[in-house]
Amino acid sequence: MFAAVYAAEGSSFETLLAVARDFSPRVDACGAREVIVDLDGLTRLFGDAKTIAGELRRTAADRGLRVRVAVAGTRTAARLLAHDRAGITIVEPGDEPAALECLRLELLEIFHEPHEPHEPHEPHEPHEPHEPHEPHEPHEPHEPHEPHEPHKPFEPIPTLRRWGLRTLGDLARLPRDEVAARLGQPGVAWQRLARGEDPGPLVPSVPDERFEQALDLEWPIDGLEPLSFVLARLLEPLSAHLERRDRGAAVLHVRLHLVKRDGVTREVHERSLQLPAPMRDARTLRTLALLDLESHPPAAAIDRVVVAVDPTPGRVVQFSLLARPLPSPEQLSTLMARLTALMGEDRCGAAVTVDSWQPGAFEMRRFSPGSGIRDPGSGGSEVRRIPDPGSRIPAVAIRRFRFPVAARVTVDRGTPIRVTSDRRGLNGGKVEAHAGPWRASGGWWIHDRVTSWERDEWDVTLSDGATYRVFRERDTDAWFIEGVVD
Amino acid sequence: MANHARADIETALRARKLDRTLTTALPREHRDEAALVAMDVPALDACLRGGLPRGQLSEIAGPSSSGRTTLAVQAIAASTRRGEIAALVDTFDRLDVASAAAAGVDLDRLLWIRGQSWGPASDFALRATSDRSAGPDGAINRALKALNLVLQARGFACVVLDLADAPPATLKRIPFTTWLRVQRVIEGSDTACLLVAPQPLARSAGGLTLLLAGRARWAGDADRNRHLAGADVTVRVVSPRRRVDGEVSVRATANDSR
């Protein structure tokens, strides 16, 4: 059985919801002033339906709410009765059609009202509980629980009134196929509501939850090693909580309350980690937090640790039988955090070519390979550009010096004949073969020597057998080795 | 008498579980395509009998301009082309991104770990300092740690450690047990680890060693139209267990936008 609790205008929705949750966790907030409570299992705790309704009304009155309570076998019947009758209304299961028989047809408009349970002050005008029989202009009612086009004009109540129908019983008695022929499926849905039938099962409203854990330490701790134990203790219940709610962490917040040596000065060291994918593995989260704190350590001892996460729906993973598994986001995140700690910021990731003729130009971005390769014809959203597999001839690669190496080049009649350098491992030698020059320039419009270039490039094979790419800066006449063809 | 002595030695080795690599016959070769990382170079793959073995440490060795980077990038390109992911531990930050893209590497699927890149200032500073951790030793040490992290993460089809520019003296200081540990980490995994160095270092029992010799190929008979057309690379494949041996020539072309 279900109880519909309908509060008077101006009532606090939060208070109403709290009253309902005092009785049952299965509560559906179906309006700004109305909740449905599932009474199944409450009989042994409170007594029969009348007792429960009385308790509901009394508890609400204790918190300053004036409510109507209607108990029926279906939610639809309970809501209709609560809107129509003041006080407490009890209808035994199976008696709903008879109880709804004489109710006004306009009551069906309650199913069209906006459903804003979390905005209790949303202005709207439902029926006044104390003056339920006041005539009013009907809205554009349509079945709220069954999807249909929102802008499709459907005004059944004036239509039904023109047919001579005045009560819900009049509508309920009509032949269903005739209603469907004239009003379509929405008309059938309205008729089901008039009979007190529920369009679907109750979906309880879940309260907003905070995913946060905190621990006050008796003695301040210094260093990351003792902190790791504290983080483990905090993250494990947090992870379990996330798992119960099928949520993952999108952002991990670590807030460390620090106490200075004088024991009085306090400050907060706060770090936030954007996670590449929703995750809730406590060990992974702890490792990521610790690696981040290694890079950004707190400046003083810690006496309070707060860990919070921004929840997001859990990740659904479908593995493939045909593709090799890739590392999970948790593994990749941990790997990237460890590599960043080892090699430095911006030293690990995926390279991206940039739209520039500047030699050696590239950018770095986060390494996120995604899932396995897709067939370009499959129409999937993650189709990658697949290089031409027909080109089975390897392309010669260049080993590029990120900073070109200064070289001494002997030039004879405009061509280099000898290249030497002070760099260890680049001994140089006589030029055996050469090609060039190729003139390149760019960035001259920026007037910045760092980003502009103008040079003559040469490919040279030296007597040691190695082939180099060298260039001469035209403005300084200085020679550099750009890379080795390897 | 000799047979008895040999039998005794074999029994003693077997008791100490040291018999697998020394005394028993080599395991029967069963060619499993899934256990190999093809390089998508038909002649070379034929010589390698399918490609580089997964779960083993292989190496590419040769002097400068012998085609080491070309083949390493080719192995990465082949892996990413199949939808797998690869990693490059670039000890001295020498990857040319444009070359890799031209070779067919799907850059989204390549984890590039960039080591220390030396500018002119740091080059002079290195000569002045005696601190090894600041020089090539430190760079190689960090690269080895990064390699270990990547291999332990699993899931990478091809992981390349580029030591091609490491000074010979520095390479000699790497303990040989390092490579045994690397081999131990990837054993049984789907990862083919590839070491690029001027000389053979690891000499893994299950991996392959590709010894390279190459020279540039020029096109054009006059100064005005001459250009670098590519490289002719001779690959000599050495397998400690004699499973794969042979020599093959590979022609590489220059993808030059000029």
Side-chain angles (χ1 to χ4, degrees):
Chain A
M1 294 183 74
F2 299 94
V5 185
Y6 185 37
E9 192 174 4
S11 303
S12 162
F13 178 76
E14 280 80 9
T15 310
L16 179 64
L17 203 58
V19 168
R21 288 210 169 106
D22 282 352
F23 285 79
S24 170
R26 288 176 54 79
V27 173
D28 180 17
C30 53
R33 291 186 285 149
E34 188 178 10
V35 293
I36 299 282
V37 185
D38 187 354
L39 302 187
D40 279 354
L42 298 186
T43 312
R44 284 185 298 175
L45 289 173
F46 297 99
D48 60 2
K50 190 173 182 182
T51 311
I52 295 171
E55 282 292 320
L56 269 168
R57 203 151 185 255
R58 190 181 58 77
T59 308
D62 290 346
R63 301 192 189 178
L65 299 180
R66 285 184 304 151
V67 297
R68 300 173 173 189
V69 180
V71 178
T74 65
R75 303 193 314 279
T76 304
R79 285 193 68 188
L80 290 167
L81 290 166
H83 277 262
D84 186 67
R85 299 178 187 173
I88 295 175
T89 308
I90 308 293
V91 174
E92 291 300 319
D95 292 345
E96 289 89 3
L100 301 177
E101 168 80 29
C102 57
L103 299 191
R104 294 173 302 116
L105 201 59
E106 286 77 11
L107 275 175
L108 289 177
E109 288 180 6
I110 64 171
F111 298 102
H112 175 55
E113 288 170 2
H115 187 90
E116 297 285 350
H118 298 295
E119 295 181 21
H121 302 299
E122 180 77 12
H124 72 289
E125 285 295 322
H127 296 282
E128 171 55 46
H130 301 286
E131 296 177 353
H133 298 288
E134 277 291 316
H136 60 275
E137 282 297 314
H139 299 176
E140 294 181 3
H142 55 80
E143 166 52 39
H145 296 286
E146 295 194 359
H148 64 271
E149 296 176 19
H151 300 295
K152 188 174 179 181
F154 178 66
E155 298 178 349
I157 290 180
T159 306
L160 296 174
R161 292 186 73 86
R162 282 198 298 276
W163 290 357
L165 306 180
R166 293 291 179 269
T167 65
L168 297 180
D170 295 341
L171 176 58
R173 279 191 296 273
L174 292 178
R176 178 168 294 192
D177 52 349
E178 296 292 336
V179 172
R182 285 163 176 78
L183 296 176
Q185 284 305 309
V188 176
W190 280 92
Q191 191 186 36
R192 290 184 61 197
L193 291 173
R195 290 173 176 169
E197 297 173 12
D198 285 337
L202 179 128
V203 180
S205 305
V206 180
D208 290 337
E209 290 178 285
R210 285 181 63 80
F211 293 87
E212 183 176 302
Q213 292 281 330
L215 187 66
D216 289 301
L217 304 169
E218 289 187 28
W219 299 96
I221 57 172
D222 204 355
L224 295 182
E225 190 177 347
L227 181 63
S228 70
F229 294 101
V230 177
L231 286 176
R233 184 175 161 183
L234 294 175
L235 284 168
E236 278 167 11
L238 201 58
S239 172
H241 189 190
L242 285 168
E243 189 161 6
R244 278 199 303 274
R245 298 295 181 211
D246 190 23
R247 292 287 183 271
V251 183
L252 174 66
H253 304 278
V254 179
R255 203 160 53 245
L256 306 175
H257 293 253
L258 309 179
V259 55
K260 291 288 179 70
R261 286 186 185 279
D262 56 12
V264 179
T265 314
R266 299 180 66 84
E267 61 183 55
V268 177
H269 181 75
E270 191 160 5
R271 298 290 304 164
S272 293
L273 281 174
Q274 289 279 350
L275 303 173
M279 57 183 70
R280 56 180 177 235
D281 180 53
R283 288 184 61 187
T284 305
L285 293 173
R286 183 184 64 163
T287 305
L288 293 175
L290 283 173
L291 286 169
D292 180 66
L293 288 170
E294 269 182 20
S295 312
H296 308 86
I302 305 156
D303 69 344
R304 177 178 164 80
V305 182
V306 182
V307 178
V309 299
D310 293 347
T312 188
R315 183 162 36 94
V316 180
V317 181
Q318 177 65 56
F319 293 105
S320 168
L321 288 172
L322 306 176
R324 288 183 185 277
L326 299 178
S328 66
E330 287 87 349
Q331 288 173 313
L332 268 186
S333 300
T334 310
L335 172 65
M336 295 308 296
R338 289 185 193 280
L339 287 173
T340 303
L342 177 68
M343 309 300 284
E345 295 281 346
D346 295 331
R347 306 299 293 180
C348 315
V352 185
T353 53
V354 295
D355 185 15
S356 168
W357 290 101
Q358 187 172 21
F362 68 93
E363 286 177 357
M364 294 290 286
R365 72 176 179 197
R366 181 195 292 269
F367 178 66
S368 54
S371 58
I373 201 162
R374 303 279 178 87
D375 178 11
S378 65
S381 60
E382 203 179 338
V383 175
R384 293 181 175 278
R385 186 183 61 82
I386 305 171
D388 178 17
S391 58
R392 297 296 181 90
I393 301 173
V396 168
I398 294 177
R399 301 182 64 78
R400 180 176 291 278
F401 294 108
R402 212 59 67 198
F403 302 97
V405 179
R408 289 186 296 278
V409 178
T410 309
V411 179
D412 181 29
R413 282 179 287 185
T415 58
I417 59 170
R418 186 173 187 81
V419 178
T420 54
S421 167
D422 290 334
R423 174 61 96 49
R424 278 185 295 190
L426 294 177
N427 296 323
K430 183 185 169 192
V431 175
E432 301 281 344
H434 66 268
W438 284 274
R439 184 158 297 172
S441 67
W444 43 266
W445 54 89
I446 304 174
H447 301 294
D448 178 9
R449 274 189 53 80
V450 177
T451 52
S452 64
W453 70 97
E454 183 176 12
R455 60 194 202 167
D456 290 340
E457 294 180 357
W458 295 78
D459 292 331
V460 294
T461 297
L462 303 187
S463 51
D464 62 356
T467 302
Y468 297 90
R469 177 161 295 174
V470 300
F471 67 90
R472 181 178 70 90
E473 278 191 351
R474 286 173 53 78
D475 53 348
T476 61
D477 204 26
W479 286 83
F480 295 91
I481 301 174
E482 184 172 40
V484 183
V485 177
D486 189 30
Chain B
M1 188 64 188
N3 287 341
H4 282 296
R6 176 174 177 158
D8 289 343
I9 291 171
E10 286 181 356
T11 307
L13 289 171
R14 201 167 291 123
R16 288 166 177 76
K17 297 181 179 177
L18 296 171
D19 55 328
R20 286 193 59 193
T21 57
L22 296 176
T23 61
T24 54
L26 291 174
R28 283 188 62 189
E29 182 190 347
H30 52 281
R31 188 172 170 179
D32 182 5
E33 297 289 340
L36 300 168
V37 174
M39 298 185 68
D40 283 359
V41 182
L44 184 57
D45 283 339
C47 185
L48 298 176
R49 299 190 189 180
L52 300 172
R54 293 182 192 265
Q56 301 291 345
L57 174 60
S58 300
E59 51 189 331
I60 295 176
S64 189
S65 293
S66 60
R68 301 166 298 182
T69 312
T70 299
L71 287 190
V73 169
Q74 181 64 24
I76 292 171
S79 295
T80 59
R81 203 175 288 148
R82 286 189 295 270
E84 298 174 314
I85 57 174
L88 170 64
V89 184
D90 194 1
T91 309
F92 299 106
D93 194 14
R94 298 292 301 277
L95 176 70
D96 180 47
V97 177
S99 294
V105 174
D106 183 353
L107 294 173
D108 288 345
R109 293 182 168 266
L110 172 63
L111 172 59
W112 183 22
I113 302 156
R114 301 168 59 198
Q116 190 172 4
S117 49
W118 292 331
S122 55
D123 200 21
F124 286 114
L126 277 175
R127 293 182 182 207
T129 182
S130 59
D131 183 10
R132 282 186 177 171
S133 64
D137 292 84
I140 291 174
N141 196 24
R142 281 190 294 278
L144 288 170
K145 285 179 181 172
L147 174 72
N148 197 37
L149 289 173
V150 174
L151 293 177
Q152 283 180 340
R154 304 281 172 127
F156 290 84
C158 181
V159 178
V160 177
L161 172 62
D162 186 356
L163 294 175
D165 292 315
T170 309
L171 290 177
K172 282 179 185 168
R173 281 197 288 272
I174 301 174
F176 189 72
T177 50
T178 302
W179 311 119
L180 294 177
R181 280 203 299 273
V182 170
Q183 177 60 49
R184 193 64 181 262
V185 171
I186 58 172
E187 228 167 37
S189 72
D190 286 340
T191 303
C193 186
L194 189 58
L195 179 61
V196 181
Q199 64 211 38
L201 293 174
R203 297 186 174 87
S204 165
L208 303 175
T209 302
L210 279 59
L211 297 174
L212 307 189
R215 58 188 175 83
R217 189 173 70 251
W218 298 89
D221 49 3
D223 281 356
R224 297 182 68 177
N225 66 352
R226 188 180 300 127
H227 64 277
L228 184 67
D232 295 323
V233 181
T234 304
V235 184
R236 190 159 69 86
V237 183
V238 178
S239 167
R241 287 179 172 170
R242 304 282 176 195
R243 186 174 66 85
V244 180
D245 271 327
E247 190 168 300
V248 65
S249 291
V250 176
R251 283 172 70 88
T253 57
N255 268 323
D256 206 329
S257 58
R258 296 177 305 200

